[in-house]
Amino acid sequence: MSRLDVTEKIISTKVSKGLSWADVAKKVGQSKEWTTALCLGQMTATPAQAKVLGKIFGLSADEQKWLMVVPYKGSLPTSVPTDPLIYRFYELVSVYGTTFKELIHEEFGDGIMSAIDFKMDMQRQADPNGDRVNIVMSGKFLPYKQY
């Protein structure tokens, strides 16, 4: 058994039970964005969170333990994503990455936006020309230190 096996079981059970990530997140007590990342193998559960997920997805005690193992981050099977939706994020970084970098450095100085001290919110935004995907990402600024 591996973390990938547990992830596949979670996804399969989610589909068969008709669950939403938002409903799962409410039971876990975290945001739908973080909980989804956890269930897809990108975050580490506490014992209490693993137990809740075990009940929701019918996970054994051994499968629940995999949820508490620090995962290997980065779940894409190729360096350039082939899934059209994920590719658009790759495209955003390819096109706007230097703009993000320039504007963050101008506003904050030399450093990075944390992906560890990080929050994300995704909402549907009604628009008469077609609904929009509204994603807000908030990461702590970490300045480079001089030594």
Side-chain angles (χ1 to χ4, degrees), residues 124-133:
R124 182 183 204 127
Q125 181 179 325
D127 188 291
N129 295 320
D131 288 357
R132 304 181 67 83
V133 178

Side-chain angles (χ1 to χ4, degrees), residues 48-112:
Q49 292 165 338
K51 189 173 185 176
V52 170
L53 291 171
K55 287 180 185 176
I56 295 169
F57 295 111
L59 303 177
S60 69
D62 283 343
E63 289 168 326
Q64 291 176 42
K65 288 178 185 176
W66 279 105
L67 299 175
M68 297 181 277
V69 173
V70 177
Y72 183 85
K73 306 275 192 208
S75 61
L76 300 178
T78 60
S79 59
V80 177
T82 57
D83 178 276
L85 182 90
I86 296 172
Y87 180 80
R88 290 303 168 260
F89 287 96
Y90 176 80
E91 181 180 38
L92 280 169
V93 172
S94 294
V95 173
Y96 293 104
T98 53
T99 302
F100 294 150
K101 178 180 171 50
E102 183 65 24
L103 292 173
I104 288 169
H105 286 189
E106 182 176 272
E107 180 72 23
F108 293 92
D110 191 13
I112 62 169

Side-chain angles (χ1 to χ4, degrees), residues 1-11 21 34-45 49-50 53 57 59 62-73 75:
M1 178 188 329
S2 71
R3 181 60 177 95
L4 182 57
D5 295 328
V6 176
T7 298
E8 289 175 358
K9 182 174 181 177
I10 287 172
I11 293 168
W21 290 123
W34 187 88
T35 302
T36 303
L38 167 63
C39 291
L40 296 179
Q42 295 301 302
M43 298 294 165
T44 307
Q49 292 165 338
L53 291 171
F57 295 111
L59 303 177
D62 283 343
E63 289 168 326
Q64 291 176 42
K65 288 178 185 176
W66 279 105
L67 299 175
M68 297 181 277
V69 173
V70 177
Y72 183 85
K73 306 275 192 208
S75 61

Side-chain angles (χ1 to χ4, degrees), residues 30-35 37 42-43 73 89 104 112-122 135-142:
Q30 297 294 328
S31 72
K32 71 180 181 295
E33 295 81 9
W34 187 88
T35 302
Q42 295 301 302
M43 298 294 165
K73 306 275 192 208
F89 287 96
I104 288 169
I112 62 169
M113 181 179 86
S114 176
I116 296 170
D117 189 344
F118 180 83
K119 295 179 185 175
M120 176 176 53
D121 183 57
M122 193 281 307
I135 298 173
V136 175
M137 297 184 291
S138 173
K140 180 179 180 180
F141 180 74
L142 302 172

